[in-house]
């Protein structure tokens, strides 16, 4: 909260100097939060993998798989089914990376780069097969949307009132709180909730302790009876699932469709 307040203070000073009121508007903050989600989820996936001692260079490819399967599921079955399929697509990429690196001992960098290349080629092929032939570069639009909610509706009127007063820092903070609580996609709510949940699992549970120990000293962990390979496999697979969810957010929060090159290096 301290860092967020400091950031808003800097933006408020800039707004006062430049007169650019849109700099701290609710729409700007809302867009920033949504744009953060894909990169943040890929980073969260990287955290799980790194803590288990495996470098996951293939996060980009897992995000790509998440975008395609998320869009396909949304078009064919519905938005939440699309989210589930997108996470599954990223998970499959994580499983492939885990098989290569943990089970067969393939170099982690080589495996990750190969997954990135494979995912791009596979999704382009699947796009051409499923939608409009060999020239297809994107999917049809997803009709159904993920619901959006007001998290604290009783604060909406007071915050709008404060935001409209143009007060230094206070109105800027009100705009940020409106962006965080008003008309928020449930997908963003789920994504944000994964961060404290990951913290709890990794640093406050026996499973998290075992996972971190396999990354820090696998020999010592093995001597204590921890299933090192299985733990690494689970962690790397979950990192792919998080990256896949990052890809899903690109589809559902922005374009409402799959597009070739949609991730643009976010992974």
């Amino acid at each position: 909260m301290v860092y967020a307040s400091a950031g808003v203070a800097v933006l408020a000073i800039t707004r006062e100097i430049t007169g650019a009121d849109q700099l701290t508007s609710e729409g700007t903050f809302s867009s920033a939060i949504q744009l953060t989600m894909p990169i943040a989820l890929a980073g969260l996936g990287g955290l799980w993998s790194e803590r288990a001692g495996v470098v996951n260079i293939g996060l980009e490819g897992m995000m790509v798989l998440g975008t395609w399967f998320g869009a396909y599921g949304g078009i064919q079955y519905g938005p939440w089914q699309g989210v589930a399929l997108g996470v599954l697509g990223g998970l499959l990429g994580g499983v492939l990376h885990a098989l290569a690196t943990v089970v067969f001992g393939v170099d982690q960098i080589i495996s990750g780069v190969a997954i990135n290349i494979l995912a791009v080629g596979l999704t382009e092929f699947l796009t051409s097969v499923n939608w409009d032939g060999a020239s297809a570069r994107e999917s049809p639009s997803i009709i159904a949307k993920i619901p959006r909610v007001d998290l604290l509706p009783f604060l909406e009127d007071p915050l709008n009132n404060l935001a409209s007063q143009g007060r230094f820092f206070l109105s800027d903070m009100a705009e940020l709180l409106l962006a965080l609580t008003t008309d928020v996609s449930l997908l963003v709510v789920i994504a944000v909730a994964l961060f404290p949940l990951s913290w709890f699992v990794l640093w406050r549970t026996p499973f998290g302790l075992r996972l971190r120990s396999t990354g820090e000293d696998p020999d010592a962990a093995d001597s204590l009876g921890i299933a090192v390979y299985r733990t690494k496999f689970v962690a790397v697979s979950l990192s792919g699932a998080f990256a896949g969810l990052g890809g899903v957010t690109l589809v559902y929060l922005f374009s409402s469709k799959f597009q070739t090159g949609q991730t643009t290096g976010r992974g």
Side-chain angles (χ1 to χ4, degrees):
M1 189 62 183
V2 174
Y3 292 114
S5 299
V8 172
V10 171
L11 290 173
I13 293 170
T14 306
R15 176 181 64 80
E16 289 288 334
I17 294 172
T18 62
D21 293 337
Q22 73 275 13
L23 189 63
T24 58
S25 68
E26 178 187 350
T28 299
F29 283 129
S30 180
S31 296
I33 292 167
Q34 291 187 127
L35 286 167
T36 300
M37 286 298 101
I39 300 173
L41 287 167
L44 185 62
L47 170 68
W48 277 76
S49 184
E50 291 283 351
R51 282 293 172 178
V54 179
V55 177
N56 192 349
I57 299 295
L59 289 168
E60 174 81 4
M62 296 166 198
M63 284 187 74
V64 172
L65 293 172
T67 60
W68 194 91
F69 284 101
Y72 180 83
I75 293 167
Q76 296 294 328
Y77 307 110
W80 289 115
Q81 293 90 331
V83 172
L85 275 179
V87 172
L88 180 60
L91 177 68
L92 291 176
V95 168
L96 180 60
H97 189 50
L99 280 172
T101 59
V102 177
V103 178
F104 297 110
V106 175
D107 183 271
Q108 297 170 8
I109 305 299
I110 293 175
S111 173
V113 172
I115 289 172
N116 290 338
I117 297 171
L118 177 63
V120 172
L122 177 63
T123 53
E124 288 192 0
F125 169 74
L126 291 174
T127 301
S128 65
V129 168
N130 285 276
W131 299 305
D132 299 330
S135 63
R137 304 285 293 175
E138 61 183 37
S139 73
S141 295
I142 301 171
I143 304 301
K145 307 294 183 183
I146 297 291
R148 306 180 77 90
V149 297
D150 293 335
L151 299 178
L152 299 173
F154 58 90
L155 287 179
E156 187 172 350
D157 288 338
L159 287 174
N160 274 317
N161 183 47
L162 179 57
S164 66
Q165 294 175 14
R167 295 186 181 185
F168 173 74
F169 183 72
L170 293 178
S171 294
D172 304 296
M173 186 59 76
E175 296 278 13
L176 175 59
L177 291 174
L178 282 169
L180 289 170
T181 60
T182 305
D183 195 33
V184 181
S185 171
L186 283 177
L187 192 57
V188 173
V189 176
I190 292 170
V192 171
L194 289 174
F195 290 88
L197 179 61
S198 292
W199 171 83
F200 179 80
V201 171
L202 289 174
W203 276 274
R204 290 294 184 270
T205 66
F207 171 76
L209 178 61
R210 290 194 293 269
L211 188 151
R212 288 182 288 117
S213 67
T214 61
E216 294 172 6
D217 195 333
D219 292 331
D222 184 59
S223 70
L224 294 173
I226 296 173
V228 173
Y229 290 114
R230 183 175 65 193
T231 304
K232 284 178 177 285
F233 195 99
V234 170
V236 177
S237 300
L238 286 175
S239 78
F242 287 121
L245 182 59
V248 168
T249 61
L250 282 172
V251 172
Y252 285 91
L253 296 180
F254 301 102
S255 62
S256 295
K257 65 174 69 173
F258 167 80
Q259 296 172 311
T260 299
Q262 196 165 21
T263 56
T264 60
R266 287 180 176 86

